[in-house]
Amino acid sequence: MENNRGISRKLLSPEREERILAALGDGLRTITELSTELGVSEATIRRDLQSLERRALAARVHGGAVRADSGRGEPLFHEKTNLRAAQKEEIAERALALIEENDVIYLDGGSTVLALARRLGAFRQLTVVTNSLMAASELMESGHKLILIGGEFRPLSRTMVGPLTQPAAEALTIGKAFLGTIGITESGLWTTDPGEAFTKKLIMRRSETVILLADSGKFGRTSLAESGALGDLDIVITDRDLSGEYRKLLKKQKIEVVTQ
Amino acid sequence: MENNRGISRKLLSPEREERILAALGDGLRTITELSTELGVSEATIRRDLQSLERRALAARVHGGAVRADSGRGEPLFHEKTNLRAAQKEEIAERALALIEENDVIYLDGGSTVLALARRLGAFRQLTVVTNSLMAASELMESGHKLILIGGEFRPLSRTMVGPLTQPAAEALTIGKAFLGTIGITESGLWTTDPGEAFTKKLIMRRSETVILLADSGKFGRTSLAESGALGDLDIVITDRDLSGEYRKLLKKQKIEVVTQ
DNA sequence: CAAATTCTTTCAAAAACTTGCAAAAGTAAA
DNA sequence: TTTACTTTTGCAAGTTTTTGAAAGAATTTG
């Protein structure tokens, strides 16, 4: 037999894939539940879930799994995708006001920035640099000059991240960078993936103006990897629910806050 | 019998093709089911499905098969030309035979290479480098490691091209590069766009084995930009209609020709 | 910290797949 | 029609993949 390095399955039949995803439909399911429900052993369920996880269709947790709600490229699992949709649209609208014709802008991954990408039809001629395949799809036929940062593809966020993004990014100078984030605290920005953190920091260095798009729910949240300091930011666009505490914190760092 | 590299059937009768596709109509069917249903041996069913798969009409999985079109999530972007589609599928099938588990491969733009990308599910673990957004979309959920070459986006071909692709490409070493082309003549390969030519040449330099996928209609055609010399190629995969003239030419350059 | 649960890895059996071969079924030319 | 040739088919041998069980590692819980 061939050496397959721990990858234990070639393909999952579409039928069972379908059934598992359906079973995962309503929240978290345990391995035992899935096993009895589909009439196969727990070992098999584990292998199936491995396959689904590898393709970013499900996320495993100790004892079970949840569906990776394919909400257009947002890394949210059991959590709601569109709970803050209204705020995100508002924030995108405000970000749009910061853009001028002929700008060179950078678009990060994340649903808030994607909402901004959808609005760029309002302009005639922009140079858009991005590491997000979602944003790129959105802008493919826009007529704007589109530059993709290469790198390793991260299925969960549908972005290119990691060290390979460096050489290409170093060759560019960006006017306004629009970034999203998982969380923001006193000590800086937070992201789930180290590769993503790497690329975010890189882009901040190469940008004249760094603009963070973060709804108020992001404040106070942390995650695995630190992806930049507050001092790296020039402008933060958020919604009106931002607490006074963070308002003060940003002010102290001389960061312009756009709200309302 | 002729040597067909594992492809064991020339043609499937339209009548049985019809019957099998009808049987596949509603979801996944097992080989045994199909065998008893159509009254032929399982071996024959397997060969029939092989034929259907080769023409992208059905997808096989361990234990059975599903219809290709009924499955979810296929048509991401509409494919333009179905010109020479059969040849392209054949060529892709031969190209697939050159790939081994754990290879590092490069996929160029173009519909022939895209047909190859669609078949990569047959492997568990590949590293796929590409400058094609179509190929990337196809492989997003494949579980393969996917690396996108960054650069300026060229809408027509949905690829990243030009000088910006250089820094990222220079950082990689590719095992097998699968390239398409607009035309191929005595003096080399031809492409419509200088930026695309630049990137093709770059990739050839970074690849151990350069494999050109070109149906016989490409031979003798030129275009705006020269994108490489014949000497840069190691293998050419084409269809059986290749004229003796070009056969000789490739032989003289010590290029392996895979046909039929 | 230990017990209980869950996960990963390994193994062997079962199921499914591929390939080579020879017989059967087609096809085309004489 | 016969003959020579090609293609398809079913079988069988050999290979690969999937699966469930079990042992040991890792994680969670009390």
Side-chain angles (χ1 to χ4, degrees):
Chain A
M1 209 226 261
E2 226 173 297
N3 170 18
N4 282 317
R5 270 158 243 224
I7 297 168
S8 56
R9 177 183 303 273
K10 190 150 213 174
L11 212 80
L12 179 56
S13 91
E15 193 198 9
R16 186 139 87 225
E17 178 180 316
E18 196 102 7
R19 289 184 65 195
I20 292 189
L21 287 178
L24 287 178
D26 37 334
L28 182 113
R29 311 299 308 274
T30 69
I31 303 289
T32 317
E33 272 172 16
L34 292 170
S35 167
T36 52
E37 202 166 316
L38 303 194
V40 292
S41 77
E42 304 202 350
T44 302
I45 290 289
R46 289 206 172 86
R47 282 183 275 237
D48 290 350
L49 289 172
Q50 229 170 52
S51 164
L52 291 174
E53 182 172 58
R54 206 154 57 92
R55 288 176 295 151
L57 295 173
R60 284 178 341 136
V61 293
H62 199 90
V66 284
R67 195 171 169 159
D69 207 343
S70 54
R72 306 294 288 168
E74 182 60 20
L76 299 179
F77 287 124
H78 29 35
E79 263 164 329
K80 71 298 140 186
T81 321
N82 289 337
L83 200 60
R84 290 179 181 269
Q87 281 102 318
K88 284 173 180 171
E89 297 295 333
E90 258 182 57
I91 289 170
E93 194 64 40
R94 264 173 230 123
L96 196 69
L98 297 179
I99 300 177
E100 287 162 42
E101 204 67 64
N102 296 312
D103 268 357
V104 178
I105 67 173
Y106 177 84
L107 297 184
D108 196 19
S111 57
T112 313
V113 179
L114 189 60
L116 173 59
R118 294 216 176 89
R119 289 172 156 76
L120 294 182
F123 293 91
R124 198 168 288 236
Q125 179 56 52
L126 298 171
T127 299
V128 181
V129 182
T130 185
N131 73 330
S132 159
L133 277 201
M134 302 296 295
S137 307
E138 202 61 50
L139 294 168
M140 257 184 200
E141 281 158 9
S142 67
H144 297 313
K145 184 160 174 172
L146 183 57
I147 293 172
L148 269 97
I149 301 282
E152 185 173 342
F153 182 71
R154 181 166 176 260
L156 219 59
S157 58
R158 298 203 194 305
T159 52
M160 272 79 78
V161 302
L164 277 172
T165 58
Q166 182 152 19
E170 297 284 5
L172 298 170
T173 300
I174 291 156
K176 294 160 187 165
F178 294 89
L179 304 178
T181 191
I182 296 291
I184 173 171
T185 69
E186 200 174 348
S187 47
L189 306 181
W190 296 91
T191 298
T192 45
D193 180 74
E196 197 143 327
F198 178 91
T199 300
K200 272 189 216 287
K201 286 183 184 175
L202 182 61
I203 291 296
M204 290 190 196
R205 277 213 312 280
R206 306 291 317 164
S207 302
E208 286 161 15
T209 308
V210 177
I211 303 161
L212 183 77
L213 275 50
D215 62 70
S216 55
K218 303 290 172 62
F219 285 81
R221 281 178 68 182
T222 64
S223 189
L224 176 65
E226 189 255 319
S227 59
L230 286 189
D232 297 332
L233 302 176
D234 297 302
I235 303 176
V236 171
I237 306 182
T238 183
D239 57 73
R240 74 203 70 178
D241 299 334
L242 184 62
S243 81
E245 177 192 354
Y246 278 106
R247 229 175 261 275
K248 253 185 273 175
L249 182 61
L250 295 175
K251 195 163 194 176
K252 208 159 73 185
Q253 295 273 353
K254 302 230 165 78
I255 299 168
E256 182 182 343
V257 180
V258 178
T259 335
Q260 147 71 310
Chain B
M1 203 221 261
E2 222 173 303
N3 171 19
N4 279 322
R5 269 161 238 247
I7 298 169
S8 56
R9 176 185 304 270
K10 205 136 217 184
L11 210 80
L12 178 58
S13 86
E15 191 203 0
R16 184 137 90 226
E17 178 180 317
E18 193 99 8
R19 290 184 64 194
I20 291 191
L21 287 177
L24 286 178
D26 40 337
L28 180 114
R29 310 301 308 276
T30 68
I31 302 290
T32 317
E33 272 172 17
L34 292 170
S35 166
T36 52
E37 203 166 316
L38 303 194
V40 292
S41 78
E42 304 201 350
T44 302
I45 291 290
R46 289 204 173 88
R47 283 183 273 237
D48 291 350
L49 290 172
Q50 230 170 52
S51 164
L52 292 175
E53 182 173 58
R54 202 143 51 91
R55 286 175 295 150
L57 295 172
R60 286 186 329 142
V61 292
H62 200 91
V66 282
R67 257 188 102 134
D69 48 49
S70 70
R72 337 132 280 118
E74 261 302 298
L76 292 163
F77 308 105
H78 64 287
E79 203 182 346
K80 45 185 179 185
T81 57
N82 274 358
L83 230 71
R84 293 182 182 272
Q87 278 102 323
K88 283 172 180 173
E89 297 296 335
E90 257 185 56
I91 290 170
E93 188 67 31
R94 301 230 165 78
L96 195 70
L98 299 180
I99 300 178
E100 287 163 40
E101 204 68 64
N102 296 311
D103 268 358
V104 178
I105 67 174
Y106 176 85
L107 297 184
D108 196 19
S111 55
T112 311
V113 179
L114 189 61
L116 174 60
R118 295 218 174 89
R119 290 172 154 75
L120 293 182
F123 293 91
R124 313 176 184 210
Q125 180 60 56
L126 298 171
T127 300
V128 181
V129 182
T130 185
N131 73 332
S132 159
L133 278 201
M134 306 282 288
S137 305
E138 199 62 48
L139 294 168
M140 257 184 201
E141 289 172 358
S142 68
H144 297 312
K145 182 160 176 174
L146 182 58
I147 293 173
L148 269 95
I149 299 282
E152 185 173 342
F153 182 71
R154 181 166 178 261
L156 210 62
S157 58
R158 296 200 201 290
T159 53
M160 271 80 77
V161 301
L164 276 171
T165 58
Q166 180 150 20
E170 297 284 6
L172 299 169
T173 300
I174 291 157
K176 294 161 189 165
F178 294 88
L179 304 179
T181 190
I182 297 292
I184 173 171
T185 67
E186 198 175 348
S187 47
L189 307 180
W190 296 92
T191 297
T192 45
D193 180 73
E196 197 143 326
F198 178 92
T199 300
K200 270 188 216 288
K201 286 184 185 175
L202 183 61
I203 292 296
M204 290 190 195
R205 277 211 313 279
R206 306 292 316 165
S207 301
E208 284 161 18
T209 308
V210 177
I211 302 160
L212 183 77
L213 275 51
D215 62 69
S216 53
K218 302 290 172 63
F219 286 79
R221 283 178 66 182
T222 64
S223 189
L224 176 66
E226 189 255 318
S227 59
L230 287 189
D232 298 331
L233 302 175
D234 297 302
I235 303 176
V236 171
I237 306 182
T238 184
D239 58 72
R240 74 202 72 177
D241 299 335
L242 185 61
S243 80
E245 176 194 354
Y246 278 107
R247 229 175 259 275
K248 254 184 270 173
L249 183 61
L250 294 175
K251 196 164 196 176
K252 208 159 72 185
Q253 296 273 350
K254 301 230 165 80
I255 299 168
E256 182 183 344
V257 179
V258 178
T259 331
Q260 155 64 318

